[in-house]
PDB file of all heavy atoms in Angstrom:
ATOM      1  N   GLU A   1      -3.619   4.684 -33.196  1.00  0.00           N
ATOM      2  CA  GLU A   1      -3.937   4.635 -34.618  1.00  0.00           C
ATOM      3  C   GLU A   1      -4.481   3.271 -35.012  1.00  0.00           C
ATOM      4  O   GLU A   1      -5.382   3.163 -35.842  1.00  0.00           O
ATOM      5  CB  GLU A   1      -2.690   4.978 -35.441  1.00  0.00           C
ATOM      6  CG  GLU A   1      -2.971   5.059 -36.938  1.00  0.00           C
ATOM      7  CD  GLU A   1      -1.788   5.575 -37.728  1.00  0.00           C
ATOM      8  OE1 GLU A   1      -0.895   6.236 -37.140  1.00  0.00           O
ATOM      9  OE2 GLU A   1      -1.749   5.317 -38.952  1.00  0.00           O
ATOM     10  N   TYR A   2      -3.962   2.234 -34.345  1.00  0.00           N
ATOM     11  CA  TYR A   2      -4.399   0.875 -34.685  1.00  0.00           C
ATOM     12  C   TYR A   2      -4.916   0.149 -33.444  1.00  0.00           C
ATOM     13  O   TYR A   2      -4.417  -0.893 -33.054  1.00  0.00           O
ATOM     14  CB  TYR A   2      -3.245   0.071 -35.303  1.00  0.00           C
ATOM     15  CG  TYR A   2      -2.649   0.710 -36.520  1.00  0.00           C
ATOM     16  CD1 TYR A   2      -1.384   1.272 -36.471  1.00  0.00           C
ATOM     17  CD2 TYR A   2      -3.347   0.760 -37.730  1.00  0.00           C
ATOM     18  CE1 TYR A   2      -0.827   1.867 -37.581  1.00  0.00           C
ATOM     19  CE2 TYR A   2      -2.796   1.360 -38.849  1.00  0.00           C
ATOM     20  CZ  TYR A   2      -1.544   1.914 -38.774  1.00  0.00           C
ATOM     21  OH  TYR A   2      -0.992   2.515 -39.895  1.00  0.00           O
ATOM     22  N   GLY A   3      -5.913   0.714 -32.803  1.00  0.00           N
ATOM     23  CA  GLY A   3      -6.523  -0.013 -31.703  1.00  0.00           C
ATOM     24  C   GLY A   3      -6.786   0.845 -30.482  1.00  0.00           C
ATOM     25  O   GLY A   3      -6.374   2.006 -30.388  1.00  0.00           O
ATOM     26  N   ILE A   4      -7.502   0.258 -29.531  1.00  0.00           N
ATOM     27  CA  ILE A   4      -7.895   0.924 -28.290  1.00  0.00           C
ATOM     28  C   ILE A   4      -7.415   0.077 -27.115  1.00  0.00           C
ATOM     29  O   ILE A   4      -7.502  -1.151 -27.137  1.00  0.00           O
ATOM     30  CB  ILE A   4      -9.424   1.116 -28.226  1.00  0.00           C
ATOM     31  CG1 ILE A   4      -9.896   2.058 -29.336  1.00  0.00           C
ATOM     32  CG2 ILE A   4      -9.851   1.653 -26.856  1.00  0.00           C
ATOM     33  CD1 ILE A   4     -11.396   2.212 -29.415  1.00  0.00           C
ATOM     34  N   GLU A   5      -6.922   0.753 -26.092  1.00  0.00           N
ATOM     35  CA  GLU A   5      -6.500   0.078 -24.859  1.00  0.00           C
ATOM     36  C   GLU A   5      -7.213   0.712 -23.670  1.00  0.00           C
ATOM     37  O   GLU A   5      -7.275   1.946 -23.548  1.00  0.00           O
ATOM     38  CB  GLU A   5      -4.985   0.185 -24.663  1.00  0.00           C
ATOM     39  CG  GLU A   5      -4.439  -0.676 -23.562  1.00  0.00           C
ATOM     40  CD  GLU A   5      -4.516  -2.163 -23.883  1.00  0.00           C
ATOM     41  OE1 GLU A   5      -4.541  -2.515 -25.086  1.00  0.00           O
ATOM     42  OE2 GLU A   5      -4.558  -2.965 -22.941  1.00  0.00           O
ATOM     43  N   ASN A   6      -7.774  -0.136 -22.806  1.00  0.00           N
ATOM     44  CA  ASN A   6      -8.400   0.310 -21.563  1.00  0.00           C
ATOM     45  C   ASN A   6      -7.521  -0.092 -20.385  1.00  0.00           C
ATOM     46  O   ASN A   6      -7.025  -1.226 -20.320  1.00  0.00           O
ATOM     47  CB  ASN A   6      -9.786  -0.306 -21.406  1.00  0.00           C
ATOM     48  CG  ASN A   6     -10.760   0.200 -22.457  1.00  0.00           C
ATOM     49  OD1 ASN A   6     -11.159   1.361 -22.440  1.00  0.00           O
ATOM     50  ND2 ASN A   6     -11.136  -0.660 -23.397  1.00  0.00           N
ATOM     51  N   SER A   7      -7.331   0.830 -19.472  1.00  0.00           N
ATOM     52  CA  SER A   7      -6.447   0.584 -18.334  1.00  0.00           C
ATOM     53  C   SER A   7      -7.100   1.074 -17.049  1.00  0.00           C
ATOM     54  O   SER A   7      -7.667   2.177 -17.017  1.00  0.00           O
ATOM     55  CB  SER A   7      -5.106   1.302 -18.525  1.00  0.00           C
ATOM     56  OG  SER A   7      -4.301   1.193 -17.384  1.00  0.00           O
ATOM     57  N   GLN A   8      -7.035   0.252 -16.017  1.00  0.00           N
ATOM     58  CA  GLN A   8      -7.497   0.664 -14.688  1.00  0.00           C
ATOM     59  C   GLN A   8      -6.513   0.159 -13.646  1.00  0.00           C
ATOM     60  O   GLN A   8      -6.068  -0.992 -13.686  1.00  0.00           O
ATOM     61  CB  GLN A   8      -8.890   0.138 -14.368  1.00  0.00           C
ATOM     62  CG  GLN A   8      -9.405   0.623 -12.997  1.00  0.00           C
ATOM     63  CD  GLN A   8     -10.867   0.317 -12.764  1.00  0.00           C
ATOM     64  OE1 GLN A   8     -11.418  -0.609 -13.344  1.00  0.00           O
ATOM     65  NE2 GLN A   8     -11.519   1.108 -11.920  1.00  0.00           N
ATOM     66  N   VAL A   9      -6.169   1.049 -12.697  1.00  0.00           N
ATOM     67  CA  VAL A   9      -5.223   0.724 -11.631  1.00  0.00           C
ATOM     68  C   VAL A   9      -5.835   1.130 -10.295  1.00  0.00           C
ATOM     69  O   VAL A   9      -6.213   2.298 -10.108  1.00  0.00           O
ATOM     70  CB  VAL A   9      -3.880   1.443 -11.832  1.00  0.00           C
ATOM     71  CG1 VAL A   9      -2.897   1.052 -10.727  1.00  0.00           C
ATOM     72  CG2 VAL A   9      -3.298   1.131 -13.205  1.00  0.00           C
ATOM     73  N   ILE A  10      -5.925   0.193  -9.373  1.00  0.00           N
ATOM     74  CA  ILE A  10      -6.444   0.452  -8.025  1.00  0.00           C
ATOM     75  C   ILE A  10      -5.355   0.090  -7.019  1.00  0.00           C
ATOM     76  O   ILE A  10      -4.805  -1.006  -7.049  1.00  0.00           O
ATOM     77  CB  ILE A  10      -7.720  -0.365  -7.735  1.00  0.00           C
ATOM     78  CG1 ILE A  10      -8.838   0.035  -8.699  1.00  0.00           C
ATOM     79  CG2 ILE A  10      -8.170  -0.169  -6.290  1.00  0.00           C
ATOM     80  CD1 ILE A  10     -10.100  -0.810  -8.567  1.00  0.00           C
ATOM     81  N   GLN A  11      -5.038   1.027  -6.143  1.00  0.00           N
ATOM     82  CA  GLN A  11      -4.093   0.789  -5.057  1.00  0.00           C
ATOM     83  C   GLN A  11      -4.740   1.190  -3.737  1.00  0.00           C
ATOM     84  O   GLN A  11      -5.440   2.196  -3.660  1.00  0.00           O
ATOM     85  CB  GLN A  11      -2.827   1.628  -5.253  1.00  0.00           C
ATOM     86  CG  GLN A  11      -2.078   1.380  -6.542  1.00  0.00           C
ATOM     87  CD  GLN A  11      -0.989   2.405  -6.751  1.00  0.00           C
ATOM     88  OE1 GLN A  11       0.016   2.406  -6.058  1.00  0.00           O
ATOM     89  NE2 GLN A  11      -1.195   3.289  -7.717  1.00  0.00           N
ATOM     90  N   LYS A  12      -4.494   0.399  -2.723  1.00  0.00           N
ATOM     91  CA  LYS A  12      -4.983   0.752  -1.394  1.00  0.00           C
ATOM     92  C   LYS A  12      -4.046   0.208  -0.334  1.00  0.00           C
ATOM     93  O   LYS A  12      -3.344  -0.792  -0.549  1.00  0.00           O
ATOM     94  CB  LYS A  12      -6.400   0.238  -1.171  1.00  0.00           C
ATOM     95  CG  LYS A  12      -6.627  -1.224  -1.436  1.00  0.00           C
ATOM     96  CD  LYS A  12      -8.109  -1.563  -1.340  1.00  0.00           C
ATOM     97  CE  LYS A  12      -8.378  -3.021  -1.696  1.00  0.00           C
ATOM     98  NZ  LYS A  12      -9.831  -3.357  -1.633  1.00  0.00           N
ATOM     99  N   GLY A  13      -4.014   0.882   0.797  1.00  0.00           N
ATOM    100  CA  GLY A  13      -3.127   0.452   1.864  1.00  0.00           C
ATOM    101  C   GLY A  13      -3.524   1.057   3.196  1.00  0.00           C
ATOM    102  O   GLY A  13      -4.217   2.079   3.261  1.00  0.00           O
ATOM    103  N   VAL A  14      -3.101   0.405   4.271  1.00  0.00           N
ATOM    104  CA  VAL A  14      -3.287   0.900   5.637  1.00  0.00           C
ATOM    105  C   VAL A  14      -1.975   0.716   6.380  1.00  0.00           C
ATOM    106  O   VAL A  14      -1.205  -0.207   6.102  1.00  0.00           O
ATOM    107  CB  VAL A  14      -4.427   0.167   6.368  1.00  0.00           C
ATOM    108  CG1 VAL A  14      -5.765   0.429   5.692  1.00  0.00           C
ATOM    109  CG2 VAL A  14      -4.162  -1.330   6.452  1.00  0.00           C
ATOM    110  N   TYR A  15      -1.719   1.589   7.331  1.00  0.00           N
ATOM    111  CA  TYR A  15      -0.550   1.430   8.180  1.00  0.00           C
ATOM    112  C   TYR A  15      -0.876   1.930   9.579  1.00  0.00           C
ATOM    113  O   TYR A  15      -1.755   2.778   9.783  1.00  0.00           O
ATOM    114  CB  TYR A  15       0.672   2.155   7.612  1.00  0.00           C
ATOM    115  CG  TYR A  15       0.476   3.616   7.304  1.00  0.00           C
ATOM    116  CD1 TYR A  15       0.636   4.600   8.281  1.00  0.00           C
ATOM    117  CD2 TYR A  15       0.151   4.032   6.016  1.00  0.00           C
ATOM    118  CE1 TYR A  15       0.471   5.939   7.995  1.00  0.00           C
ATOM    119  CE2 TYR A  15      -0.023   5.371   5.707  1.00  0.00           C
ATOM    120  CZ  TYR A  15       0.144   6.316   6.700  1.00  0.00           C
ATOM    121  OH  TYR A  15      -0.032   7.652   6.411  1.00  0.00           O
ATOM    122  N   CYS A  16      -0.173   1.375  10.543  1.00  0.00           N
ATOM    123  CA  CYS A  16      -0.446   1.678  11.942  1.00  0.00           C
ATOM    124  C   CYS A  16       0.857   1.620  12.725  1.00  0.00           C
ATOM    125  O   CYS A  16       1.619   0.646  12.602  1.00  0.00           O
ATOM    126  CB  CYS A  16      -1.453   0.672  12.508  1.00  0.00           C
ATOM    127  SG  CYS A  16      -1.796   0.874  14.264  1.00  0.00           S
ATOM    128  N   ALA A  17       1.137   2.650  13.502  1.00  0.00           N
ATOM    129  CA  ALA A  17       2.341   2.698  14.342  1.00  0.00           C
ATOM    130  C   ALA A  17       1.926   2.854  15.797  1.00  0.00           C
ATOM    131  O   ALA A  17       1.020   3.627  16.126  1.00  0.00           O
ATOM    132  CB  ALA A  17       3.234   3.865  13.926  1.00  0.00           C
ATOM    133  N   ARG A  18       2.606   2.093  16.677  1.00  0.00           N
ATOM    134  CA  ARG A  18       2.384   2.148  18.129  1.00  0.00           C
ATOM    135  C   ARG A  18       3.740   2.146  18.814  1.00  0.00           C
ATOM    136  O   ARG A  18       4.624   1.386  18.452  1.00  0.00           O
ATOM    137  CB  ARG A  18       1.602   0.926  18.616  1.00  0.00           C
ATOM    138  CG  ARG A  18       0.263   0.698  17.936  1.00  0.00           C
ATOM    139  CD  ARG A  18      -0.812   1.601  18.547  1.00  0.00           C
ATOM    140  NE  ARG A  18      -2.143   1.237  18.061  1.00  0.00           N
ATOM    141  CZ  ARG A  18      -2.687   1.675  16.942  1.00  0.00           C
ATOM    142  NH1 ARG A  18      -1.975   2.472  16.152  1.00  0.00           N
ATOM    143  NH2 ARG A  18      -3.906   1.335  16.586  1.00  0.00           N
ATOM    144  N   GLN A  19       3.869   2.993  19.846  1.00  0.00           N
ATOM    145  CA  GLN A  19       5.113   2.995  20.613  1.00  0.00           C
ATOM    146  C   GLN A  19       4.827   3.244  22.091  1.00  0.00           C
ATOM    147  O   GLN A  19       3.882   3.950  22.445  1.00  0.00           O
ATOM    148  CB  GLN A  19       6.075   4.073  20.104  1.00  0.00           C
ATOM    149  CG  GLN A  19       6.656   3.804  18.733  1.00  0.00           C
ATOM    150  CD  GLN A  19       7.639   4.867  18.298  1.00  0.00           C
ATOM    151  OE1 GLN A  19       8.083   5.684  19.109  1.00  0.00           O
ATOM    152  NE2 GLN A  19       7.992   4.868  17.027  1.00  0.00           N
ATOM    153  N   LYS A  20       5.672   2.636  22.938  1.00  0.00           N
ATOM    154  CA  LYS A  20       5.745   2.947  24.358  1.00  0.00           C
ATOM    155  C   LYS A  20       7.162   3.411  24.633  1.00  0.00           C
ATOM    156  O   LYS A  20       8.125   2.745  24.253  1.00  0.00           O
ATOM    157  CB  LYS A  20       5.405   1.724  25.211  1.00  0.00           C
ATOM    158  CG  LYS A  20       3.981   1.214  25.046  1.00  0.00           C
ATOM    159  CD  LYS A  20       3.749  -0.029  25.895  1.00  0.00           C
ATOM    160  CE  LYS A  20       2.346  -0.568  25.710  1.00  0.00           C
ATOM    161  NZ  LYS A  20       2.119  -1.821  26.514  1.00  0.00           N
ATOM    162  N   LEU A  21       7.298   4.568  25.306  1.00  0.00           N
ATOM    163  CA  LEU A  21       8.600   5.201  25.457  1.00  0.00           C
ATOM    164  C   LEU A  21       8.858   5.574  26.904  1.00  0.00           C
ATOM    165  O   LEU A  21       7.956   6.023  27.610  1.00  0.00           O
ATOM    166  CB  LEU A  21       8.677   6.484  24.611  1.00  0.00           C
ATOM    167  CG  LEU A  21       8.401   6.362  23.116  1.00  0.00           C
ATOM    168  CD1 LEU A  21       8.126   7.740  22.526  1.00  0.00           C
ATOM    169  CD2 LEU A  21       9.572   5.711  22.422  1.00  0.00           C
ATOM    170  N   SER A  22      10.091   5.400  27.334  1.00  0.00           N
ATOM    171  CA  SER A  22      10.552   5.967  28.592  1.00  0.00           C
ATOM    172  C   SER A  22      12.021   6.305  28.419  1.00  0.00           C
ATOM    173  O   SER A  22      12.581   6.180  27.322  1.00  0.00           O
ATOM    174  CB  SER A  22      10.356   4.981  29.750  1.00  0.00           C
ATOM    175  OG  SER A  22      11.405   4.043  29.807  1.00  0.00           O
ATOM    176  N   SER A  23      12.662   6.693  29.504  1.00  0.00           N
ATOM    177  CA  SER A  23      14.066   7.085  29.414  1.00  0.00           C
ATOM    178  C   SER A  23      14.984   5.903  29.151  1.00  0.00           C
ATOM    179  O   SER A  23      16.118   6.083  28.713  1.00  0.00           O
ATOM    180  CB  SER A  23      14.485   7.791  30.692  1.00  0.00           C
ATOM    181  OG  SER A  23      14.293   6.922  31.796  1.00  0.00           O
ATOM    182  N   ILE A  24      14.532   4.656  29.418  1.00  0.00           N
ATOM    183  CA  ILE A  24      15.410   3.503  29.237  1.00  0.00           C
ATOM    184  C   ILE A  24      14.747   2.365  28.477  1.00  0.00           C
ATOM    185  O   ILE A  24      15.327   1.280  28.367  1.00  0.00           O
ATOM    186  CB  ILE A  24      15.907   2.966  30.598  1.00  0.00           C
ATOM    187  CG1 ILE A  24      14.719   2.530  31.460  1.00  0.00           C
ATOM    188  CG2 ILE A  24      16.775   3.984  31.306  1.00  0.00           C
ATOM    189  CD1 ILE A  24      15.126   1.829  32.732  1.00  0.00           C
ATOM    190  N   TYR A  25      13.568   2.584  27.927  1.00  0.00           N
ATOM    191  CA  TYR A  25      12.862   1.478  27.283  1.00  0.00           C
ATOM    192  C   TYR A  25      12.056   2.007  26.099  1.00  0.00           C
ATOM    193  O   TYR A  25      11.515   3.111  26.136  1.00  0.00           O
ATOM    194  CB  TYR A  25      11.929   0.796  28.276  1.00  0.00           C
ATOM    195  CG  TYR A  25      10.995  -0.225  27.663  1.00  0.00           C
ATOM    196  CD1 TYR A  25      11.463  -1.473  27.281  1.00  0.00           C
ATOM    197  CD2 TYR A  25       9.647   0.063  27.456  1.00  0.00           C
ATOM    198  CE1 TYR A  25      10.612  -2.414  26.715  1.00  0.00           C
ATOM    199  CE2 TYR A  25       8.793  -0.865  26.899  1.00  0.00           C
ATOM    200  CZ  TYR A  25       9.281  -2.110  26.526  1.00  0.00           C
ATOM    201  OH  TYR A  25       8.443  -3.035  25.972  1.00  0.00           O
ATOM    202  N   GLU A  26      11.987   1.197  25.047  1.00  0.00           N
ATOM    203  CA  GLU A  26      11.091   1.516  23.932  1.00  0.00           C
ATOM    204  C   GLU A  26      10.501   0.232  23.375  1.00  0.00           C
ATOM    205  O   GLU A  26      11.214  -0.753  23.182  1.00  0.00           O
ATOM    206  CB  GLU A  26      11.797   2.274  22.811  1.00  0.00           C
ATOM    207  CG  GLU A  26      10.856   2.540  21.627  1.00  0.00           C
ATOM    208  CD  GLU A  26      11.403   3.517  20.600  1.00  0.00           C
ATOM    209  OE1 GLU A  26      12.513   4.046  20.802  1.00  0.00           O
ATOM    210  OE2 GLU A  26      10.710   3.743  19.596  1.00  0.00           O
ATOM    211  N   GLN A  27       9.203   0.277  23.137  1.00  0.00           N
ATOM    212  CA  GLN A  27       8.531  -0.729  22.323  1.00  0.00           C
ATOM    213  C   GLN A  27       8.012  -0.015  21.090  1.00  0.00           C
ATOM    214  O   GLN A  27       7.346   1.010  21.197  1.00  0.00           O
ATOM    215  CB  GLN A  27       7.374  -1.384  23.064  1.00  0.00           C
ATOM    216  CG  GLN A  27       6.643  -2.424  22.208  1.00  0.00           C
ATOM    217  CD  GLN A  27       5.375  -2.929  22.850  1.00  0.00           C
ATOM    218  OE1 GLN A  27       4.401  -2.186  22.988  1.00  0.00           O
ATOM    219  NE2 GLN A  27       5.377  -4.190  23.254  1.00  0.00           N
ATOM    220  N   ALA A  28       8.326  -0.547  19.915  1.00  0.00           N
ATOM    221  CA  ALA A  28       7.896   0.074  18.660  1.00  0.00           C
ATOM    222  C   ALA A  28       7.251  -0.985  17.781  1.00  0.00           C
ATOM    223  O   ALA A  28       7.823  -2.052  17.565  1.00  0.00           O
ATOM    224  CB  ALA A  28       9.091   0.703  17.938  1.00  0.00           C
ATOM    225  N   ILE A  29       6.062  -0.685  17.299  1.00  0.00           N
ATOM    226  CA  ILE A  29       5.308  -1.583  16.424  1.00  0.00           C
ATOM    227  C   ILE A  29       4.893  -0.792  15.189  1.00  0.00           C
ATOM    228  O   ILE A  29       4.352   0.311  15.303  1.00  0.00           O
ATOM    229  CB  ILE A  29       4.060  -2.151  17.123  1.00  0.00           C
ATOM    230  CG1 ILE A  29       4.461  -2.946  18.379  1.00  0.00           C
ATOM    231  CG2 ILE A  29       3.248  -3.028  16.173  1.00  0.00           C
ATOM    232  CD1 ILE A  29       3.268  -3.360  19.227  1.00  0.00           C
ATOM    233  N   LEU A  30       5.150  -1.349  14.034  1.00  0.00           N
ATOM    234  CA  LEU A  30       4.684  -0.757  12.779  1.00  0.00           C
ATOM    235  C   LEU A  30       4.163  -1.874  11.892  1.00  0.00           C
ATOM    236  O   LEU A  30       4.817  -2.910  11.748  1.00  0.00           O
ATOM    237  CB  LEU A  30       5.813  -0.004  12.068  1.00  0.00           C
ATOM    238  CG  LEU A  30       5.442   0.606  10.702  1.00  0.00           C
ATOM    239  CD1 LEU A  30       4.378   1.687  10.866  1.00  0.00           C
ATOM    240  CD2 LEU A  30       6.673   1.169  10.007  1.00  0.00           C
ATOM    241  N   ASP A  31       2.997  -1.646  11.308  1.00  0.00           N
ATOM    242  CA  ASP A  31       2.411  -2.626  10.400  1.00  0.00           C
ATOM    243  C   ASP A  31       1.950  -1.891   9.145  1.00  0.00           C
ATOM    244  O   ASP A  31       1.177  -0.927   9.226  1.00  0.00           O
ATOM    245  CB  ASP A  31       1.235  -3.336  11.071  1.00  0.00           C
ATOM    246  CG  ASP A  31       0.798  -4.580  10.314  1.00  0.00           C
ATOM    247  OD1 ASP A  31       1.625  -5.125   9.563  1.00  0.00           O
ATOM    248  OD2 ASP A  31      -0.355  -5.003  10.468  1.00  0.00           O
ATOM    249  N   GLU A  32       2.444  -2.328   7.987  1.00  0.00           N
ATOM    250  CA  GLU A  32       2.082  -1.740   6.695  1.00  0.00           C
ATOM    251  C   GLU A  32       1.471  -2.835   5.822  1.00  0.00           C
ATOM    252  O   GLU A  32       2.116  -3.846   5.557  1.00  0.00           O
ATOM    253  CB  GLU A  32       3.313  -1.162   5.995  1.00  0.00           C
ATOM    254  CG  GLU A  32       4.053  -0.105   6.785  1.00  0.00           C
ATOM    255  CD  GLU A  32       5.402   0.228   6.170  1.00  0.00           C
ATOM    256  OE1 GLU A  32       6.309  -0.614   6.238  1.00  0.00           O
ATOM    257  OE2 GLU A  32       5.541   1.332   5.623  1.00  0.00           O
ATOM    258  N   LYS A  33       0.247  -2.627   5.367  1.00  0.00           N
ATOM    259  CA  LYS A  33      -0.428  -3.578   4.486  1.00  0.00           C
ATOM    260  C   LYS A  33      -0.915  -2.816   3.258  1.00  0.00           C
ATOM    261  O   LYS A  33      -1.543  -1.764   3.387  1.00  0.00           O
ATOM    262  CB  LYS A  33      -1.617  -4.239   5.187  1.00  0.00           C
ATOM    263  CG  LYS A  33      -1.248  -5.080   6.390  1.00  0.00           C
ATOM    264  CD  LYS A  33      -2.486  -5.687   7.047  1.00  0.00           C
ATOM    265  CE  LYS A  33      -2.108  -6.528   8.260  1.00  0.00           C
ATOM    266  NZ  LYS A  33      -3.307  -7.085   8.947  1.00  0.00           N
ATOM    267  N   PHE A  34      -0.647  -3.358   2.079  1.00  0.00           N
ATOM    268  CA  PHE A  34      -1.042  -2.636   0.873  1.00  0.00           C
ATOM    269  C   PHE A  34      -1.159  -3.604  -0.293  1.00  0.00           C
ATOM    270  O   PHE A  34      -0.601  -4.703  -0.274  1.00  0.00           O
ATOM    271  CB  PHE A  34      -0.030  -1.521   0.553  1.00  0.00           C
ATOM    272  CG  PHE A  34       1.400  -1.980   0.457  1.00  0.00           C
ATOM    273  CD1 PHE A  34       1.988  -2.244  -0.766  1.00  0.00           C
ATOM    274  CD2 PHE A  34       2.164  -2.139   1.603  1.00  0.00           C
ATOM    275  CE1 PHE A  34       3.305  -2.659  -0.856  1.00  0.00           C
ATOM    276  CE2 PHE A  34       3.493  -2.554   1.526  1.00  0.00           C
ATOM    277  CZ  PHE A  34       4.058  -2.819   0.296  1.00  0.00           C
ATOM    278  N   ASN A  35      -1.919  -3.182  -1.306  1.00  0.00           N
ATOM    279  CA  ASN A  35      -2.065  -4.002  -2.501  1.00  0.00           C
ATOM    280  C   ASN A  35      -2.320  -3.125  -3.710  1.00  0.00           C
ATOM    281  O   ASN A  35      -2.656  -1.932  -3.590  1.00  0.00           O
ATOM    282  CB  ASN A  35      -3.159  -5.066  -2.333  1.00  0.00           C
ATOM    283  CG  ASN A  35      -4.501  -4.469  -2.001  1.00  0.00           C
ATOM    284  OD1 ASN A  35      -5.074  -3.746  -2.816  1.00  0.00           O
ATOM    285  ND2 ASN A  35      -5.031  -4.748  -0.814  1.00  0.00           N
ATOM    286  N   GLU A  36      -2.151  -3.728  -4.863  1.00  0.00           N
ATOM    287  CA  GLU A  36      -2.359  -3.047  -6.138  1.00  0.00           C
ATOM    288  C   GLU A  36      -2.941  -4.053  -7.123  1.00  0.00           C
ATOM    289  O   GLU A  36      -2.549  -5.226  -7.132  1.00  0.00           O
ATOM    290  CB  GLU A  36      -1.041  -2.487  -6.685  1.00  0.00           C
ATOM    291  CG  GLU A  36      -1.164  -1.866  -8.086  1.00  0.00           C
ATOM    292  CD  GLU A  36       0.173  -1.350  -8.614  1.00  0.00           C
ATOM    293  OE1 GLU A  36       1.194  -1.481  -7.902  1.00  0.00           O
ATOM    294  OE2 GLU A  36       0.175  -0.830  -9.747  1.00  0.00           O
ATOM    295  N   LYS A  37      -3.880  -3.587  -7.943  1.00  0.00           N
ATOM    296  CA  LYS A  37      -4.394  -4.401  -9.035  1.00  0.00           C
ATOM    297  C   LYS A  37      -4.519  -3.525 -10.264  1.00  0.00           C
ATOM    298  O   LYS A  37      -5.272  -2.549 -10.288  1.00  0.00           O
ATOM    299  CB  LYS A  37      -5.742  -5.030  -8.696  1.00  0.00           C
ATOM    300  CG  LYS A  37      -6.238  -5.967  -9.791  1.00  0.00           C
ATOM    301  CD  LYS A  37      -7.511  -6.690  -9.397  1.00  0.00           C
ATOM    302  CE  LYS A  37      -7.939  -7.671 -10.498  1.00  0.00           C
ATOM    303  NZ  LYS A  37      -9.183  -8.399 -10.129  1.00  0.00           N
ATOM    304  N   ALA A  38      -3.753  -3.871 -11.289  1.00  0.00           N
ATOM    305  CA  ALA A  38      -3.774  -3.137 -12.553  1.00  0.00           C
ATOM    306  C   ALA A  38      -4.207  -4.086 -13.659  1.00  0.00           C
ATOM    307  O   ALA A  38      -3.707  -5.213 -13.752  1.00  0.00           O
ATOM    308  CB  ALA A  38      -2.391  -2.561 -12.860  1.00  0.00           C
ATOM    309  N   VAL A  39      -5.150  -3.611 -14.501  1.00  0.00           N
ATOM    310  CA  VAL A  39      -5.673  -4.432 -15.595  1.00  0.00           C
ATOM    311  C   VAL A  39      -5.663  -3.609 -16.872  1.00  0.00           C
ATOM    312  O   VAL A  39      -6.210  -2.493 -16.908  1.00  0.00           O
ATOM    313  CB  VAL A  39      -7.101  -4.923 -15.301  1.00  0.00           C
ATOM    314  CG1 VAL A  39      -7.635  -5.743 -16.476  1.00  0.00           C
ATOM    315  CG2 VAL A  39      -7.137  -5.742 -14.014  1.00  0.00           C
ATOM    316  N   GLU A  40      -5.022  -4.142 -17.914  1.00  0.00           N
ATOM    317  CA  GLU A  40      -5.044  -3.540 -19.245  1.00  0.00           C
ATOM    318  C   GLU A  40      -5.671  -4.525 -20.229  1.00  0.00           C
ATOM    319  O   GLU A  40      -5.338  -5.731 -20.200  1.00  0.00           O
ATOM    320  CB  GLU A  40      -3.634  -3.179 -19.705  1.00  0.00           C
ATOM    321  CG  GLU A  40      -3.161  -1.791 -19.266  1.00  0.00           C
ATOM    322  CD  GLU A  40      -2.360  -1.818 -17.971  1.00  0.00           C
ATOM    323  OE1 GLU A  40      -1.447  -2.638 -17.843  1.00  0.00           O
ATOM    324  OE2 GLU A  40      -2.681  -0.987 -17.085  1.00  0.00           O
ATOM    325  N   SER A  41      -6.560  -4.012 -21.092  1.00  0.00           N
ATOM    326  CA  SER A  41      -7.222  -4.884 -22.069  1.00  0.00           C
ATOM    327  C   SER A  41      -7.478  -4.106 -23.352  1.00  0.00           C
ATOM    328  O   SER A  41      -7.671  -2.895 -23.338  1.00  0.00           O
ATOM    329  CB  SER A  41      -8.547  -5.421 -21.514  1.00  0.00           C
ATOM    330  OG  SER A  41      -9.443  -4.363 -21.224  1.00  0.00           O
ATOM    331  N   GLY A  42      -7.453  -4.842 -24.457  1.00  0.00           N
ATOM    332  CA  GLY A  42      -7.682  -4.228 -25.764  1.00  0.00           C
ATOM    333  C   GLY A  42      -6.656  -4.725 -26.748  1.00  0.00           C
ATOM    334  O   GLY A  42      -6.644  -5.904 -27.111  1.00  0.00           O
ATOM    335  N   MET A  43      -5.752  -3.840 -27.174  1.00  0.00           N
ATOM    336  CA  MET A  43      -4.695  -4.242 -28.100  1.00  0.00           C
ATOM    337  C   MET A  43      -3.819  -5.329 -27.485  1.00  0.00           C
ATOM    338  O   MET A  43      -3.300  -6.197 -28.173  1.00  0.00           O
ATOM    339  CB  MET A  43      -3.821  -3.034 -28.462  1.00  0.00           C
ATOM    340  CG  MET A  43      -4.535  -1.911 -29.182  1.00  0.00           C
ATOM    341  SD  MET A  43      -3.352  -0.628 -29.689  1.00  0.00           S
ATOM    342  CE  MET A  43      -2.525  -0.254 -28.142  1.00  0.00           C
TER     343      MET A  43
END
């Protein structure tokens, strides 16, 4: 009623998992990278 607001939100991410497995050994690697940018303007 008293103004206008503009909003935009961008999120992105990547992830990667690697493993080596046997009956007595495991190597496990996980990498998660992500970001977010939100901008509101107006009122």
